Amino acid sequence: METIGGRLRFERERLALSQPVLAEMCGVTMRSQRNYEKDERLPDAGYLAAATRSGVDVVYVLTGERLPGTPALTPEESALLDNFRHSPPAARKAIKATSDLLAQHGRPGDEAECG
């Protein structure tokens, strides 16, 4: 992930977006999106502005540094995210539903913990 393309792909995956979806959101073709992620071309300012509106951390994509105040994931959070990303769609749906239910019953500051 040392390249702009690698970081762009990471951000797209972090947002759970496919290449065609991010390409459409940013006003480019699927081929252009693929070329950006393969470092065969660099995205232009219009693309980067649209990517920012789509939730992409463009400062990270360009520099490899997160914006100040952007929390880093803990190793446990990273593992959960990796598991989610490598799950089939039905499992992702179940994980999301379970997470939503658990969050409703245990907001930060609550005494109860799942064990």
Side-chain angles (χ1 to χ4, degrees):
M1 237 180 322
E2 298 294 320
T3 66
I4 288 173
R7 291 188 296 267
L8 179 59
R9 178 179 178 195
F10 179 83
E11 281 293 283
R12 177 181 56 77
E13 291 175 348
R14 177 183 68 82
L15 296 168
L17 299 172
S18 66
Q19 281 185 332
V21 168
L22 185 58
E24 183 177 333
M25 293 170 83
C26 295
V28 298
T29 64
M30 169 61 193
R31 182 176 180 178
S32 291
Q33 183 68 37
R34 188 175 351 164
N35 287 341
Y36 298 155
E37 292 184 20
K38 288 184 173 184
D39 291 303
E40 292 176 4
R41 292 199 53 193
L42 290 173
D44 65 16
Y47 173 91
L48 295 172
T52 298
R53 290 189 298 273
S54 300
V56 172
D57 182 347
V58 173
V59 171
Y60 169 71
V61 170
L62 294 174
T63 68
E65 301 289 326
R66 292 279 177 194
L67 290 171
T70 303
L73 296 178
T74 66
E76 185 178 39
E77 290 168 334
S78 292
L80 286 168
L81 184 57
D82 189 57
N83 289 342
F84 178 82
R85 287 181 178 154
H86 290 93
S87 296
R92 284 184 179 199
K93 187 175 180 180
I95 291 168
K96 174 89 170 69
T98 301
S99 175
D100 290 345
L101 285 172
L102 291 172
Q104 291 173 7
H105 296 290
R107 299 284 177 202
D110 290 351
E111 296 300 318
E113 280 190 35
C114 295

